[in-house]
Amino acid sequence: MSATPQKNRARRRVLAAAAGLATVGALVAAMPAGAHDRGNGHGHGHGHGHGHKSRTVDVQLLSFNDLHGNLEPPAGSAGTVKKTHADGTVEAIPAGGVEYLATSLRTARKGNPYSVTAAGGDMVGASPLLSGLFHDEPTIEALNGLDLDVTAVGNHEFDEGATELARLQNGGCHPVEGCYEKGRKFEGADFPYLAANVTKEKTGKPLLKPYTVWKKKGVKIGFIGVTLEGTPDIVTANGVKGLKFHDEVETINKYAKELDRKGVKSIVALIHEGGAPASTSYNYDCDSPGAGDGISGPIVDIAKGITPKVDALVTGHTHQAYVCTVPDPSGKPRMVTSASSFGKLYTDTTLTYDRRTKDIVRTSVKSANHVVTRDQPKAADMTRLIDRWNKLAAPVASKPQGWISADINGRGSTAPEKPLGNVIADAQLEGLAPADKGGAEVAFMNPGGIRADLVHKASGSEGDGVVTYGEAFTVQPFTNMMNVVDLTGTQLVTALQQQVSGSNEASPKILQVSKGFTYTLDLTKSGADRVVADSIELNGEAIDPARTYRVAMNEFLAGGGDGFAALGEGTNKLVGASDLDLFNAYLAAHSTATAPLAPPATDRITVIQ
């Protein structure tokens, strides 16, 4: 429940009426805008008009993306943002946590009578135990309390399928686990989730509302929400069953035209797809003119194709921080923003609305990212929400699973081979190597499935170095079932090449490999040639193209996910325990309080740069 249910219900009715659509509840939608001008993002009215209503009004768009159920401050390196100072030094600033995000947003709204909050998708899914254990109901409640007005769906909103997504929107207790608290029914999202480019295969109709219109005192701004067209490639087959995902540009242009016909001239697109700025510092000037500066990735071509009717793009998916301008099809600059991930940043964009044209004055758009610092007061309502759910989770969350001697970085590592990736792959190999468990000889782990670091510092009262069930779950939250399959040496080589070619060429996805599997990755080359084929060995022996190997991987990879079609060709499949169970078993077998597990060496993949 939100802290102010009556107010939120009233807001929901207003939003639904404004959209001219049935009530759908929605998540925060991220709103940016479009021009070179950057400011502090705090709007001030233009044209004071001597007692008359001014022609323009500044609308504040607050946006964020990729929260992934991180209600508590994310731990370790995954819970920091980088800031580059004038002297070139880089500072890591601890950030995030909804107690601080709520305070940041509420502070930013002060003095801005026209303020709307939007999000760019992946609000839920791959969540820490506090939210994931309860099918992300705690996160939806928190977003209601944050006064999110709208959000796009992201790929992770489909992790548990369309029916569960509809429940998050509309409310109701979980179909299997029921209600978590006596006397409390889950109310669903107060904001609409928008999914303009997702349709039902049988009917061709949109799964959720394609757009909504925010209104205040005659000001109207339309929001169109889409997820990336490639969502089926990065979500389990069950999650997207019965759904079709359409081209982002075509979909946005179609609904922008529809909104324009209805008299809505100011439009923001919420797009769960993103890019990579040349610097990972949040305060990098994305419009720097130097060679190699700026932004690359899928969002650039998408932005260039979206009709000029759209005034700003709020994006996500890549977990990067940027405030850039990318030219629209008419050549005019337009703002494209993303606020990192896990609630560590929010974007504050000023959209100057012209009451006469009903459009945004593009040349006046200002935008900036701001850090959600942890040195500000916590929002008391969010603290109460976290405490309430933590009490329910405690019996499961606090159970010790093992001990570590230092941080073992996974999500926070930028290297191709990650220490925690090696631990996870080794755990999968060890658990599935026995003949009756599958006879695995090698294990592969997708890097995107590693959602956090293992942090030595205690998260609660368990003591430093103790890995709790909650912490292990936060690393491996999908509870994917493990598969062991037959693959030929040729298929293994092809799979490695698919890490750096095809759909993964622009943004490589380097598989984490179990001990004994080694090869060289030459990043000075391009495409499949980056994998040095004659360097691939298993236990010191060259991979034999004709031989069959027993390979362990999670069900997502075994289904060809993340662009690994070769891994989807496996035969003679045996289904094993879950990835989380194997991870916890490995921690228990390889660590004690007096002999904790140390971070492993990262010497399996030799990288030439």
Side-chain angles (χ1 to χ4, degrees), residues 229-260:
E229 185 182 8
T231 291
D233 301 328
I234 53 175
V235 173
T236 57
N238 277 342
V240 294
K241 196 173 181 181
L243 302 175
K244 287 191 80 168
F245 292 77
H246 303 272
D247 181 85
E248 304 95 337
V249 174
E250 289 175 12
T251 302
I252 291 168
N253 289 351
K254 169 186 165 183
Y255 287 112
K257 190 183 281 186
E258 187 172 311
L259 281 166
D260 186 60

Side-chain angles (χ1 to χ4, degrees), residues 332-367:
K332 290 179 182 168
R334 176 169 54 194
M335 197 67 80
V336 179
T337 69
S338 174
S340 184
S341 63
F342 299 172
K344 293 181 288 188
L345 297 177
Y346 71 92
T347 313
D348 191 333
T349 302
T350 302
L351 302 171
T352 301
Y353 181 91
D354 186 322
R355 291 181 184 276
R356 195 173 299 170
T357 65
K358 299 181 182 175
D359 208 347
I360 300 302
V361 183
R362 276 263 212 104
T363 52
S364 296
V365 172
K366 301 182 182 78
S367 191

Side-chain angles (χ1 to χ4, degrees), residues 120 152 224 226 248 252 269-273 299 302 306 313-316:
I224 303 168
V226 298
E248 304 95 337
I252 291 168
L270 308 175
I271 307 171
H272 191 71
E273 178 61 290
I299 199 61
I302 289 172
I306 289 174
L313 314 182
V314 171
T315 72

Side-chain angles (χ1 to χ4, degrees), residues 163-442:
T163 303
E164 175 63 4
L165 174 56
R167 187 182 77 87
L168 291 180
Q169 176 72 89
N170 300 319
C173 296
H174 192 270
V176 176
E177 296 176 25
C179 298
Y180 294 111
E181 295 172 286
K182 193 173 181 181
R184 270 188 198 259
K185 183 186 166 195
F186 174 57
E187 297 287 338
D190 276 352
F191 48 89
Y193 261 108
L194 305 180
N197 66 330
V198 186
T199 58
K200 299 174 189 172
E201 277 182 352
K202 282 184 179 174
T203 64
K205 290 182 177 175
L207 174 69
L208 295 170
K209 298 303 174 190
Y211 60 80
T212 191
V213 180
W214 178 83
K215 288 182 180 179
K216 184 160 186 181
K217 295 181 181 174
V219 174
K220 290 192 292 188
I221 298 178
F223 288 88
I224 303 168
V226 298
T227 185
L228 68 156
E229 185 182 8
T231 291
D233 301 328
I234 53 175
V235 173
T236 57
N238 277 342
V240 294
K241 196 173 181 181
L243 302 175
K244 287 191 80 168
F245 292 77
H246 303 272
D247 181 85
E248 304 95 337
V249 174
E250 289 175 12
T251 302
I252 291 168
N253 289 351
K254 169 186 165 183
Y255 287 112
K257 190 183 281 186
E258 187 172 311
L259 281 166
D260 186 60
R261 279 201 310 267
K262 291 184 172 182
V264 179
K265 309 294 184 185
S266 299
I267 302 172
V268 174
L270 308 175
I271 307 171
H272 191 71
E273 178 61 290
S279 166
T280 55
S281 289
Y282 91 92
N283 62 331
Y284 166 65
D285 182 355
C286 204
D287 289 344
S288 301
D293 274 340
I295 185 172
S296 59
I299 199 61
V300 177
D301 287 338
I302 289 172
K304 287 177 178 175
I306 289 174
T307 172
K309 292 182 196 301
V310 174
D311 299 295
L313 314 182
V314 171
T315 72
H317 188 55
T318 56
H319 291 203
Q320 301 294 309
Y322 48 84
V323 175
C324 304
T325 57
V326 177
D328 70 15
S330 71
K332 290 179 182 168
R334 176 169 54 194
M335 197 67 80
V336 179
T337 69
S338 174
S340 184
S341 63
F342 299 172
K344 293 181 288 188
L345 297 177
Y346 71 92
T347 313
D348 191 333
T349 302
T350 302
L351 302 171
T352 301
Y353 181 91
D354 186 322
R355 291 181 184 276
R356 195 173 299 170
T357 65
K358 299 181 182 175
D359 208 347
I360 300 302
V361 183
R362 276 263 212 104
T363 52
S364 296
V365 172
K366 301 182 182 78
S367 191
N369 275 326
H370 300 277
V371 181
V372 177
T373 60
R374 298 183 195 166
D375 58 1
Q376 58 186 321
K378 295 180 178 181
D381 57 330
M382 293 296 148
T383 303
R384 286 193 299 272
L385 182 146
I386 288 170
D387 289 348
R388 200 181 98 231
W389 286 103
N390 262 332
K391 282 194 184 80
L392 289 170
V396 176
S398 58
K399 191 177 175 190
Q401 302 298 310
W403 291 262
I404 56 175
S405 64
D407 288 2
I408 305 181
N409 283 345
R411 194 76 188 181
S413 168
T414 55
E417 181 184 349
K418 306 172 194 308
L420 190 49
N422 288 354
V423 173
I424 291 169
D426 288 352
Q428 294 176 353
L429 176 62
E430 183 170 295
L432 300 170
D436 63 334
K437 303 291 186 188
E441 300 168 84
V442 62

Side-chain angles (χ1 to χ4, degrees), residues 453-534:
D453 304 332
L454 279 185
V455 178
H456 185 261
K457 183 175 171 57
S459 60
S461 59
E462 74 275 10
D464 290 350
V466 178
V467 179
T468 64
Y469 184 89
E471 290 163 344
F473 182 98
T474 297
V475 169
Q476 296 244 271
F478 299 108
T479 319
N480 275 313
M481 301 311 292
M482 292 300 300
N483 290 182
V484 186
V485 298
D486 284 349
L487 288 169
T488 65
T490 297
Q491 288 169 319
L492 282 183
V493 174
T494 301
L496 293 182
Q497 291 171 334
Q498 286 170 345
Q499 300 175 111
V500 289
S501 63
S503 61
N504 292 330
E505 180 158 8
S507 182
K509 290 189 173 79
I510 306 304
L511 294 166
Q512 307 298 288
V513 300
S514 55
K515 62 186 175 186
F517 192 88
T518 56
Y519 71 97
T520 298
L521 193 62
D522 187 349
L523 297 180
T524 66
K525 296 183 176 171
S526 61
D529 291 339
R530 292 170 176 164
V531 173
V532 182
D534 60 8

